[in-house]
Amino acid sequence: MSSTASLPKQKPSEVRPEVGHMFEHRKYDNERVKPRKIAFDFPADIPKYYAGGDPVKSAILNSINMFLPAWEDVMARTFKDIAANIQDPYLRDQARGFLGQEAVHGRTHAKFCDNLRAQGYDIDPYMNFCDWFFKDFVEKRLGPQMVVSATSSFEHYSDLVILILLDTDFLDDCHPRMKEFFRWHMAEEVEHNSVAFEVLEYVNNGYWLRQMGNALGLFMILFFTVGGSFYLIAQDGKLF
């Protein structure tokens, strides 16, 4: 099952950042969220343990690559449907910018997963489970409002993780291409961090919906980051 089959195709203008960068370096503008231009590729010479030779740090970062394609596919599709019915033009444009950023994130993370397969990791059973959880359970069974609520929570906790990463040397010894890759994703996460909450307030500001989405968003970050890391480390024979 493809994790990104329903995402819109990337326009040529989205893959032409300025010379010397793999993504468009511009000032944050959380009043006008839109995707940055990117030109990421992932050649085979990127080391298996690209985070300073550390298999655990590399597995943690790779766990993000494995679950985000399915989740960001769901986010982009849900926000596309909701944005079409938002009457406020500013919020509608913000929601469309958000879904644009998340759609490109999902495609690019899925692209890197080909490197993991080439390195010998059997990731497809795990990614199929991610597809089932996010698409069949969260999206289809819990519904679009719960997706928006969980997204709001997910974005909040993601920003807390990003602040920790930026405040420490966690990424300093990464392969330069991968460091650029994660810095691009973090830049857009910081830029659109409030959009999901603003959309949630617009569609349903109920207390219990927010609290259930809060619990679900936190669970997803912890379960899929830790679970995906253990899945890869076990295949390396380095679990203990």
Side-chain angles (χ1 to χ4, degrees):
M1 181 187 300
S2 171
S3 297
T4 56
S6 63
L7 296 181
K9 291 184 178 179
Q10 208 170 356
K11 298 178 181 178
S13 62
E14 292 176 353
V15 293
R16 299 182 185 276
E18 61 270 30
V19 175
H21 295 296
M22 284 178 284
F23 72 93
E24 177 187 3
H25 285 221
R26 57 172 167 82
K27 292 181 179 180
Y28 295 112
D29 186 359
N30 57 11
E31 296 297 320
R32 187 169 179 264
V33 172
K34 64 177 182 178
R36 283 166 172 76
K37 301 171 185 176
I38 63 169
F40 284 107
D41 59 1
F42 303 104
D45 62 358
I46 293 176
K48 186 175 186 179
Y49 305 134
Y50 56 80
D54 188 328
V56 175
K57 287 174 63 175
S58 301
I60 292 170
L61 293 172
N62 284 333
S63 70
I64 297 170
N65 286 305
M66 292 193 299
F67 83 82
L68 281 183
W71 174 229
E72 289 179 324
D73 185 2
V74 169
M75 284 194 284
R77 184 166 50 251
T78 301
F79 276 76
K80 181 179 180 180
D81 292 341
I82 288 176
N85 296 306
I86 293 177
Q87 301 302 311
D88 181 334
Y90 168 76
L91 185 58
R92 182 172 60 244
D93 288 345
Q94 289 288 85
R96 287 173 175 168
F98 172 85
L99 74 90
Q101 288 186 340
E102 295 294 3
V104 179
H105 293 178
R107 279 194 299 268
T108 312
H109 284 283
K111 186 177 180 181
F112 178 74
C113 286
D114 287 336
N115 283 51
L116 298 180
R117 295 183 180 94
Q119 290 165 353
Y121 288 113
D122 182 17
I123 63 172
D124 289 318
Y126 182 83
M127 294 186 72
N128 288 337
F129 171 75
C130 293
D131 275 335
W132 171 83
F133 181 84
F134 291 117
K135 297 179 181 180
D136 294 338
F137 178 68
V138 177
E139 181 180 20
K140 293 180 181 178
R141 298 197 179 203
L142 301 184
Q145 290 191 2
M146 182 58 73
V147 171
V148 175
S149 183
T151 301
S152 175
S153 168
F154 186 90
E155 295 294 316
H156 170 69
Y157 289 115
S158 294
D159 275 1
L160 295 180
V161 173
I162 287 169
L163 289 174
I164 293 171
L165 292 178
L166 294 177
D167 257 354
T168 66
D169 60 357
F170 192 88
L171 293 176
D172 286 358
D173 55 0
C174 277
H175 185 280
R177 190 174 299 262
M178 299 306 294
K179 184 189 294 185
E180 183 95 336
F181 173 47
F182 286 108
R183 288 193 178 279
W184 157 71
H185 191 147
M186 290 192 294
E188 297 204 333
E189 289 296 321
V190 171
E191 189 168 65
H192 69 225
N193 68 344
S194 65
V195 175
F197 181 72
E198 291 169 357
V199 172
L200 176 62
E201 285 191 308
Y202 182 89
V203 298
N204 187 334
N205 196 28
Y207 174 80
W208 287 111
L209 177 65
R210 293 201 314 272
Q211 294 308 312
M212 288 187 291
N214 181 53
L216 179 58
L218 180 59
F219 166 80
M220 291 190 304
I221 288 180
L222 294 176
F223 179 84
F224 286 98
T225 302
V226 175
S229 300
F230 273 75
Y231 186 79
L232 296 175
I233 294 169
Q235 290 188 48
D236 282 334
K238 300 179 184 295
L239 189 58
F240 300 105

